Amino acid sequence: EQLAVMARLAAKAKDKVEKEAMQEKENAEKEGIQLKSDLEDLVKQNDEIEGELNLAKSQIQKAREDAESLKERCDDLVSSLTAREKEIKKMSEDLIVAKKEAVEAKQKAVTAEAEASGSTGNFNSEFTAEQLTIQVNQLKSRLACPVCNTRDKKVIINRCRHMFCRHCVELNLGSRNRKCPSCGIRFDRKDVEDVWF
Protein backbone atom coordinates (compact mmCIF):
# COMPACT_ATOMS: atom_id res chain seq x y z
CA GLU A 1 0.00 0.00 0.00
CA GLN A 2 2.83 2.33 0.83
CA LEU A 3 4.35 1.52 -2.53
CA ALA A 4 1.11 2.48 -4.27
CA VAL A 5 1.01 5.80 -2.41
CA MET A 6 4.61 6.51 -3.28
CA ALA A 7 3.93 5.64 -6.91
CA ARG A 8 0.98 8.05 -7.00
CA LEU A 9 3.07 10.79 -5.41
CA ALA A 10 5.87 10.14 -7.87
CA ALA A 11 3.40 10.28 -10.77
CA LYS A 12 1.93 13.56 -9.48
CA ALA A 13 5.42 14.99 -9.05
CA LYS A 14 6.32 13.87 -12.55
CA ASP A 15 3.18 15.49 -14.00
CA LYS A 16 3.90 18.70 -12.13
CA VAL A 17 7.49 18.78 -13.37
CA GLU A 18 6.36 18.11 -16.93
CA LYS A 19 3.75 20.88 -16.74
CA GLU A 20 6.28 23.32 -15.35
CA ALA A 21 8.78 22.32 -18.06
CA MET A 22 6.09 22.74 -20.72
CA GLN A 23 5.16 26.17 -19.30
CA GLU A 24 8.77 27.25 -19.24
CA LYS A 25 9.18 26.06 -22.81
CA GLU A 26 6.14 28.03 -23.94
CA ASN A 27 7.39 31.11 -22.10
CA ALA A 28 10.83 30.71 -23.68
CA GLU A 29 9.25 30.37 -27.14
CA LYS A 30 7.17 33.51 -26.56
CA GLU A 31 10.24 35.42 -25.41
CA GLY A 32 12.14 34.16 -28.46
CA ILE A 33 9.34 35.34 -30.77
CA GLN A 34 9.25 38.74 -29.05
CA LEU A 35 13.04 39.08 -29.26
CA LYS A 36 12.94 38.18 -32.94
CA SER A 37 10.24 40.79 -33.54
CA ASP A 38 12.22 43.41 -31.61
CA LEU A 39 15.32 42.55 -33.62
CA GLU A 40 13.42 42.92 -36.90
CA ASP A 41 12.11 46.32 -35.74
CA LEU A 42 15.64 47.41 -34.86
CA VAL A 43 16.95 46.26 -38.24
CA LYS A 44 14.14 48.13 -39.98
CA GLN A 45 14.82 51.30 -37.96
CA ASN A 46 18.52 50.98 -38.73
CA ASP A 47 17.79 50.68 -42.45
CA GLU A 48 15.55 53.77 -42.30
CA ILE A 49 18.22 55.76 -40.46
CA GLU A 50 20.87 54.70 -42.98
CA GLY A 51 18.55 55.73 -45.84
CA GLU A 52 17.95 59.15 -44.27
CA LEU A 53 21.68 59.54 -43.65
CA ASN A 54 22.51 58.69 -47.27
CA LEU A 55 19.85 61.15 -48.47
CA ALA A 56 21.28 63.87 -46.22
CA LYS A 57 24.80 63.17 -47.53
CA SER A 58 23.51 63.37 -51.11
CA GLN A 59 21.76 66.69 -50.41
CA ILE A 60 24.88 68.10 -48.76
CA GLN A 61 27.00 67.05 -51.74
CA LYS A 62 24.53 68.66 -54.16
CA ALA A 63 24.47 71.85 -52.08
CA ARG A 64 28.28 71.96 -52.20
CA GLU A 65 28.27 71.46 -55.97
CA ASP A 66 25.62 74.18 -56.40
CA ALA A 67 27.63 76.56 -54.19
CA GLU A 68 30.77 75.87 -56.21
CA SER A 69 28.88 76.45 -59.46
CA LEU A 70 27.46 79.73 -58.14
CA LYS A 71 30.93 80.83 -57.04
CA GLU A 72 32.35 80.12 -60.51
CA ARG A 73 29.44 81.99 -62.13
CA CYS A 74 29.99 84.94 -59.79
CA ASP A 75 33.71 84.98 -60.62
CA ASP A 76 32.88 84.91 -64.35
CA LEU A 77 30.45 87.81 -63.96
CA VAL A 78 32.97 89.86 -61.99
CA SER A 79 35.64 89.19 -64.61
CA SER A 80 33.24 90.08 -67.44
CA LEU A 81 32.17 93.27 -65.67
CA THR A 82 35.78 94.30 -65.10
CA ALA A 83 36.58 93.71 -68.78
CA ARG A 84 33.55 95.76 -69.87
CA GLU A 85 34.48 98.61 -67.54
CA LYS A 86 37.97 98.66 -69.07
CA GLU A 87 36.49 98.68 -72.58
CA ILE A 88 34.12 101.53 -71.70
CA LYS A 89 36.96 103.51 -70.16
CA LYS A 90 39.17 102.98 -73.24
CA MET A 91 36.36 103.94 -75.63
CA SER A 92 35.59 107.04 -73.57
CA GLU A 93 39.25 108.03 -73.68
CA ASP A 94 39.37 107.43 -77.44
CA LEU A 95 36.29 109.56 -77.94
CA ILE A 96 37.73 112.35 -75.79
CA VAL A 97 40.85 112.28 -77.97
CA ALA A 98 38.72 112.29 -81.13
CA LYS A 99 36.67 115.24 -79.89
CA LYS A 100 39.84 117.11 -78.99
CA GLU A 101 41.27 116.39 -82.43
CA ALA A 102 38.04 117.64 -84.01
CA VAL A 103 38.21 120.88 -82.06
CA GLU A 104 41.87 121.36 -82.96
CA ALA A 105 41.18 120.62 -86.60
CA LYS A 106 38.32 123.09 -86.61
CA GLN A 107 40.57 125.75 -85.08
CA LYS A 108 43.21 125.03 -87.69
CA ALA A 109 40.61 125.30 -90.43
CA VAL A 110 39.38 128.65 -89.09
CA THR A 111 42.94 129.93 -88.81
CA ALA A 112 43.77 128.67 -92.28
CA GLU A 113 40.69 130.30 -93.76
CA ALA A 114 41.53 133.57 -92.01
CA GLU A 115 45.10 133.45 -93.25
CA ALA A 116 43.97 132.51 -96.76
CA SER A 117 41.46 135.36 -96.92
CA GLY A 118 43.90 137.82 -95.35
CA SER A 119 46.96 137.09 -97.41
CA THR A 120 46.67 134.41 -100.03
CA GLY A 121 50.25 134.91 -101.12
CA ASN A 122 51.67 134.13 -97.67
CA PHE A 123 49.57 131.02 -96.93
CA ASN A 124 51.98 128.54 -95.29
CA SER A 125 49.51 126.09 -93.76
CA GLU A 126 50.33 122.41 -93.96
CA PHE A 127 46.77 121.70 -95.16
CA THR A 128 44.41 123.59 -97.42
CA ALA A 129 41.16 124.94 -96.00
CA GLU A 130 39.22 122.29 -97.91
CA GLN A 131 41.36 119.49 -96.51
CA LEU A 132 40.93 120.80 -92.97
CA THR A 133 37.17 121.09 -93.47
CA ILE A 134 37.04 117.49 -94.69
CA GLN A 135 39.08 116.36 -91.68
CA VAL A 136 36.81 118.28 -89.29
CA ASN A 137 33.73 116.72 -90.87
CA GLN A 138 35.26 113.26 -90.61
CA LEU A 139 36.07 113.76 -86.94
CA LYS A 140 32.59 115.13 -86.29
CA SER A 141 31.08 112.10 -87.97
CA ARG A 142 32.93 109.88 -85.51
CA LEU A 143 31.16 111.67 -82.66
CA ALA A 144 27.74 111.90 -84.32
CA CYS A 145 25.00 109.31 -83.81
CA PRO A 146 25.06 106.98 -86.85
CA VAL A 147 21.23 106.82 -86.88
CA CYS A 148 20.23 110.49 -86.98
CA ASN A 149 23.65 111.99 -87.83
CA THR A 150 22.67 115.17 -85.97
CA ARG A 151 23.16 114.53 -82.25
CA ASP A 152 26.33 113.42 -80.47
CA LYS A 153 26.74 109.89 -79.13
CA LYS A 154 25.67 109.83 -75.49
CA VAL A 155 24.91 106.16 -74.67
CA ILE A 156 26.50 102.78 -75.31
CA ILE A 157 24.86 99.35 -75.73
CA ASN A 158 27.00 97.03 -73.61
CA ARG A 159 26.13 93.87 -75.55
CA CYS A 160 27.76 95.04 -78.79
CA ARG A 161 29.62 98.22 -77.74
CA HIS A 162 27.91 100.41 -80.36
CA MET A 163 27.12 104.03 -79.39
CA PHE A 164 24.20 106.29 -80.30
CA CYS A 165 22.43 109.39 -79.07
CA ARG A 166 19.95 108.81 -76.25
CA HIS A 167 17.01 109.97 -78.36
CA CYS A 168 17.47 107.26 -81.02
CA VAL A 169 17.95 104.51 -78.41
CA GLU A 170 14.86 105.65 -76.49
CA LEU A 171 12.86 105.55 -79.74
CA ASN A 172 13.95 101.93 -80.27
CA LEU A 173 13.07 100.96 -76.70
CA GLY A 174 9.74 102.78 -76.88
CA SER A 175 8.70 101.04 -80.11
CA ARG A 176 9.81 97.65 -78.70
CA ASN A 177 12.30 97.36 -81.56
CA ARG A 178 15.01 96.34 -79.14
CA LYS A 179 17.74 95.63 -81.67
CA CYS A 180 20.97 97.51 -82.18
CA PRO A 181 20.57 99.76 -85.26
CA SER A 182 24.14 98.93 -86.34
CA CYS A 183 24.42 95.15 -85.90
CA GLY A 184 20.88 93.97 -85.02
CA ILE A 185 21.80 92.27 -81.73
CA ARG A 186 18.95 92.27 -79.18
CA PHE A 187 19.33 94.44 -76.09
CA ASP A 188 17.31 95.65 -73.11
CA ARG A 189 17.16 98.90 -71.15
CA LYS A 190 19.59 97.52 -68.56
CA ASP A 191 22.21 97.09 -71.32
CA VAL A 192 22.23 100.84 -72.07
CA GLU A 193 24.72 103.04 -70.21
CA ASP A 194 25.79 106.68 -70.49
CA VAL A 195 29.14 107.75 -71.93
CA TRP A 196 30.76 111.13 -71.43
CA PHE A 197 33.20 113.03 -73.61
Side-chain angles (χ1 to χ4, degrees):
E1 189 176 332
Q2 287 182 348
L3 289 174
V5 170
M6 289 178 65
R8 283 197 300 273
L9 290 173
K12 286 181 181 180
K14 182 180 178 185
D15 290 342
K16 184 177 180 182
V17 169
E18 287 179 352
K19 285 181 181 179
E20 288 177 354
M22 185 68 67
Q23 186 66 37
E24 288 180 1
K25 182 180 178 183
E26 290 177 359
N27 291 339
E29 288 177 351
K30 288 179 181 178
E31 287 179 3
I33 292 171
Q34 184 63 40
L35 288 172
K36 184 178 180 182
S37 175
D38 292 344
L39 180 61
E40 289 175 352
D41 290 342
L42 287 172
V43 170
K44 184 178 179 181
Q45 289 176 7
N46 185 61
D47 291 342
E48 290 175 354
I49 291 171
E50 284 186 355
E52 292 175 356
L53 182 60
N54 289 333
L55 179 61
K57 286 180 179 178
S58 175
Q59 290 174 344
I60 290 171
Q61 181 63 27
K62 187 176 185 305
R64 285 177 179 168
E65 292 173 356
D66 291 344
E68 186 65 26
S69 176
L70 287 173
K71 183 178 180 298
E72 290 177 0
R73 176 63 177 155
C74 183
D75 291 343
D76 290 343
L77 289 173
V78 169
S79 176
S80 176
L81 180 61
T82 303
R84 285 189 176 185
E85 287 175 349
K86 288 181 180 178
E87 287 179 12
I88 291 172
K89 184 178 179 182
K90 184 178 184 305
M91 293 179 77
S92 298
E93 291 171 353
D94 290 344
L95 285 169
I96 290 170
V97 171
K99 192 170 184 179
K100 185 178 178 182
E101 289 175 354
V103 171
E104 291 175 353
K106 185 176 181 181
Q107 289 173 349
K108 285 182 181 179
V110 170
T111 303
E113 286 178 3
E115 290 177 356
S117 62
S119 55
T120 55
N122 297 325
F123 184 72
N124 296 321
S125 176
E126 187 178 346
F127 301 101
T128 66
E130 185 180 351
Q131 288 174 330
L132 290 173
T133 303
I134 291 172
Q135 186 177 3
V136 168
N137 290 335
Q138 287 176 345
L139 292 172
K140 281 185 177 179
S141 69
R142 290 176 63 184
L143 296 173
C145 172
V147 177
C148 63
N149 290 317
T150 56
R151 290 175 288 270
D152 286 344
K153 298 173 180 176
K154 295 291 184 183
V155 295
I156 184 169
I157 298 173
N158 283 329
R159 285 183 176 268
C160 59
R161 324 305 297 169
H162 288 124
M163 290 182 286
F164 308 94
C165 70
R166 179 167 291 283
H167 179 74
C168 290
V169 171
E170 289 295 336
L171 284 178
N172 269 29
L173 290 171
S175 64
R176 296 190 175 276
N177 180 24
R178 298 182 177 183
K179 291 183 179 179
C180 173
S182 292
C183 64
I185 191 170
R186 295 188 65 82
F187 71 96
D188 200 353
R189 188 175 294 276
K190 68 180 185 323
D191 299 313
V192 179
E193 292 184 6
D194 292 331
V195 290
W196 296 272
F197 306 110

